[in-house]
Amino acid sequence: MVDQALSGVRVLDVSTVLAAPVTATLLGDFGADVVKVEEPGRGDFTRLGADRPGGRSLQWSQEGRNKRSVTLNLRTERGQEILRGLVPHFDVVITNYRPPTLEEWGMGPEALQRVNPRAILVYLTGYGLTGPYRDRGAFDRIASAFSGLTYVSGDPAGPPVRSGYSVIDFMSAYLAAFATMTALYHRDVHGGPGQVIDLALYEAGFRASENALLNYSAHGVVRERLGNKNPYIVPATDFDTADGRRVSIHAGTEPLFLRLCAVMGRPDLAEDERFASPIARIGNQDELYAVIAEWTSGMTADDVVKLLSDNDIPASVIMSIADIAADPHYRTRGTVVEVEDPDHGRISMAGPLPRMSATPGRIRSLGPELGASTAAILGELLGLDADDLADLRTDGII
């Protein structure tokens, strides 16, 4: 029996900032042997914040975990040649450079398929490998804007706002990891060939747009910003509490609404014609929310959540990262884990997700020193000896 689900799968991570490297991290958490190609002297973007160029930042400790680091200057012909020499040794190659750069460096789909037809080639680029915008670059903020996610986020009277986290990057990483596993299954179970996965950064955000496109195509209705309100589910929003915190409450089904009315000591609300049906509640939500807000304002956030949860009504305090760090549920489930880092001491980080009963994810190592495995990997896979490596270092290739 294998130790982890992806033991024996070899992944070459030739990417930076942020979705594509996280894709490789997710695969590494479940046993894949991930080799990370980094720029000599600087390393991955997530190393920024370290005490020296190319050092081990806090973020690198997490996003570089379960990876081995090889330095390689891909701006040189020799570096590109070495990369193409590595590709035949890997099941999966992940990259996110723009198509013009990929073509200039000999890393386009056709070039890499020639050297390894069985490889799963994951291209997670800003706008994809095709289409009129293919050559443009993008980051999470740009992809969020282009996907429509930013447009619908924020208060109705204010401008659109981006999410506080790089949501698009991580959604794209999950989607790319799923696509990679689908392609590996097709290759290894059904005897299929290697293939190219072409995922644009904005596409995960667009796929999360619920029924917005359907409503627009059928009725010409544009989904607008609604703040914390849901256009179809009432009550479901956030409320202030007596201790200056906020809670999120969802009682948008009929049984939940009836329980909420009972908990609030206001069973009469369910008989009020303004709130007696889902349609009525949607049309009169401001009045209903005023009643609920008055109720929550007389209790602490923790008391509101406990009372509602005890009555089987979904609710949560709006958690800060400090709340999360102290929360027992995160720790008990392993969503947050403690690790001992050689540079940063004992730190908390996100655990491997999701949980699997037979082959769970595991943090086998934290983000490595820059280039720590260069000699071993280039020697093992390409047969380069100490003199070869010394020449490459002198020439700035590794």
Side-chain angles (χ1 to χ4, degrees), residues 8-14 24-25 28 31-38 44 47 60 63-72 86 89-90 364-381:
V9 174
R10 306 186 76 174
V11 177
L12 188 61
D13 176 4
V14 196
T25 304
D33 177 14
V34 180
V35 172
K36 170 76 173 179
V37 175
E38 301 189 73
D44 188 77
R47 289 181 181 271
W60 172 251
E63 304 310 346
R65 72 190 186 196
N66 297 329
K67 297 183 181 182
R68 296 190 285 165
S69 173
V70 169
T71 53
L72 195 56
L86 290 172
H89 299 276
F90 290 84
R364 304 184 303 279
S365 63
L366 300 178
E369 292 287 347
L370 181 61
S373 298
T374 302
I377 289 171
L378 296 188
E380 172 192 343
L381 300 185

Side-chain angles (χ1 to χ4, degrees), residues 76-97:
T76 65
E77 289 187 11
R78 180 62 174 136
Q80 296 160 15
E81 178 186 326
I82 291 173
L83 179 70
R84 287 190 292 273
L86 290 172
V87 167
H89 299 276
F90 290 84
D91 299 286
V92 179
V93 180
I94 301 173
T95 190
N96 63 348
Y97 294 105

